[in-house]
Structures are given as C-alpha cells and as structure tokens.
Amino acid sequence: APDCNTGYTLAWPTEVENAEFMVDRLEDGAVVGSVQLWRHAENLRRLWEQGHDPVALEVAEAQRLGIDHWIRLSMNDWHHWGADATESNLQTSRFYEEHPEYLIGEEGARGWSGKLAEVLPYFQDFAHQEVRALRMDIAVEACTRYDITGFLYDFMRCPGYFKCGEEDAGAVLMTQFMRDTRRALDRVGRERGREVGLAVRVPSTLAGSRGLGLDLAAWVEEGLVDLIVPSSFFAQDMEEDVGEWVDLARGSGIQIYPSIDE
C-alpha cells in the first residue's frame, strides 16, 4: 500500500486542507532532503505529466490479481526531518512548518529514551484538533478517490502522540477521532455501495497501546475497526503471546493480524 508518511505531502493532487501534493512542493523549491526522496518526487511528477495516476495504477493491478488494496498512513514519522532534525524536506508541508505550537516539543518528550526521545519533540501533538483532522481528512479523501478496500492508520510509524503524562487524557480524544473516522468511512461505503474497512497498526500489547493513548479495548467494544495489527517497533520476539488480542476480539468480528517486524 502507498505510504502517506504522516500526510504532510501526498502522491496525488490533494484537496485536503493542510496537506500538499509532493510534486507541487518539489516545483515550489522545497528542500529535497535526499537523492532517494528527489527520485521519488521526480517519478511522481513525470507520471502525472504523462497522465498516469500511480495510486490508481496500483489499485487496478491489485484488483486484477484479486488482492485487497489498503492505503496506509504513518500517524507520526521522522522522515520529514534531516539527519540533524533541523531542516524539513519534501515530505513536510507549510502546515507543519508554520505551526510549531502543534509539536510535542522538548518538554513534552521528557520521560522517553533512545531514538524516539531525539525525534519526539518534532512530532505533532494529537491533543490539537487540527492535527487529528488532517489525518482523518486524508483517510476520507483516499477512500473516496480510490476504489480501495480500506485505510490503515499506522500508529507504530512512529509511536508518540501526546506529551509525556498526557496520554490518559489523549486516549479520550483518540477514541473520538476513531469514532469520527469510522462514521466518515461508513458514509463513503454507503455512497459506494460496499463497506470501506478501517485498520490500525498498534503496539504489540494492550498495555503498550494504552500507554500511547490508544484505548484498543474501547475501539473493539464500539466496533470502530475491522483489522488490528499488533506490532513491535524495529524488534521482534518470536515467542510473543498474542492471546490477549485474540481474547479481546473474540465474538466481535474484528480480525487480528500479528505483525513480524524487522
């Protein structure tokens, strides 16, 4: 599935407020960031100039092969920053650059350790309605624009959504965000004449999910998702017990797809 990488820039000419088409950003002279990223943006530019929508091509080929096609969104990510975390690139946007007040910030990241402690200050804080709205609007546009099976919110790319200590309060906001998304995709499904799925990739345990402000028990109880992908973060324990997820989903019709990470 295409990676929307936090949704600041997209692979199609978007109408979502606060998102940008990556080709427009390239042509506006944004900092490129890397040769790989330039090649990605340049390929998009040439495809669209020749009248090809690369996402539509993916969807058509998936349908030909009988494969369900989902579009995935990194809910937070670090690839919109350079190695020194001081320079944004083609994968960010004016919305990100012009609203530093939406960031988790140095103080908000205290209590974390390792790589995430370095990058968490530059993640957007989902306590802000505008931050949540951007992600949901992208999901709705993608499912409206393309004949896809559904949309995946990837909460493990990369984990960290609220200031340290504010996760419990954030869980209430995030559950409402999931309700709003579910209702919106249900509307799209009714207009299309078939259901549009909603999936989430989350930490490998219920406690780990709750620690990020993700109340999976509530999401399952309310039937807000169709698929749950419990996942580690750049690690893998082959003895990991996913029994609690199976127990949680039993009788709900929600499917559990444990993930093997690198």
Side-chain angles (χ1 to χ4, degrees):
D3 182 354
C4 295
N5 193 59
T6 318
Y8 302 128
T9 54
L10 300 175
W12 60 84
T14 179
E15 296 181 5
V16 171
E17 183 178 6
N18 295 325
E20 296 179 41
F21 182 30
M22 183 179 281
V23 173
D24 289 342
R25 194 158 172 81
L26 175 69
E27 294 178 346
D28 287 344
V31 172
V32 173
S34 69
V35 172
Q36 180 182 7
L37 189 53
W38 170 82
R39 184 179 294 114
H40 174 61
E42 180 66 8
N43 284 341
L44 284 177
R45 184 183 68 78
R46 294 188 182 195
L47 281 164
W48 279 100
E49 283 184 352
Q50 295 169 28
H52 302 300
D53 178 338
V55 181
L57 291 173
E58 289 185 15
V59 174
E61 180 64 5
Q63 291 175 340
R64 186 184 72 83
L65 296 172
I67 298 173
D68 290 342
H69 194 292
W70 299 69
I71 289 182
R72 167 190 166 277
L73 173 65
S74 296
M75 298 299 274
N76 259 328
D77 206 306
W78 55 49
H79 288 94
H80 54 295
W81 284 98
D84 60 358
T86 60
E87 188 174 75
S88 59
N89 60 35
L90 278 178
Q91 290 179 308
T92 187
S93 67
R94 289 185 298 274
F95 172 69
Y96 182 90
E97 294 165 347
E98 294 173 0
H99 292 284
E101 72 275 16
Y102 293 162
L103 299 182
I104 288 175
E106 295 285 350
E107 286 298 319
R110 294 192 187 282
W112 285 70
S113 60
K115 173 69 172 178
L116 283 172
E118 300 175 19
V119 297
L120 196 67
Y122 305 101
F123 287 2
Q124 287 194 318
D125 183 353
F126 276 61
H128 299 280
Q129 189 276 335
E130 294 85 353
V131 171
R132 302 191 304 274
L134 172 62
R135 276 68 175 181
M136 189 184 83
D137 290 347
I138 289 169
V140 174
E141 181 179 71
C143 293
T144 302
R145 181 183 179 99
Y146 299 106
D147 188 19
I148 52 179
T149 304
F151 200 87
L152 170 70
Y153 283 152
D154 189 345
F155 288 101
M156 290 300 286
R157 191 69 175 192
C158 294
Y161 299 97
F162 301 101
K163 294 179 179 179
C164 189
E166 297 183 8
E167 292 86 358
D168 285 346
V172 177
L173 298 174
M174 202 66 91
T175 296
Q176 186 59 52
F177 165 77
M178 294 299 296
R179 290 189 193 108
D180 293 341
T181 302
R182 177 78 275 167
R183 291 178 187 133
L185 295 191
D186 286 347
R187 286 195 297 271
V188 174
R190 286 193 296 272
E191 293 169 0
R192 181 167 295 174
R194 66 163 179 78
E195 294 183 358
V196 176
L198 179 58
V200 290
R201 179 175 174 238
V202 295
S204 55
T205 66
L206 287 169
S209 299
R210 182 70 197 208
L212 288 179
L214 312 176
D215 188 353
L216 269 294
W219 300 2
V220 169
E221 182 179 2
E222 297 186 33
L224 302 181
V225 296
D226 300 293
L227 308 178
I228 299 174
V229 183
S231 176
S232 55
F233 182 64
F234 291 116
Q236 189 60 48
D237 177 4
M238 298 305 292
E239 302 301 320
E240 192 159 13
D241 183 1
V242 297
E244 65 174 356
W245 293 101
V246 175
D247 291 340
L248 178 67
R250 183 173 287 113
S252 68
I254 295 170
Q255 299 181 53
I256 305 296
Y257 287 85
S259 169
I260 295 178
D261 210 77
E262 63 183 39

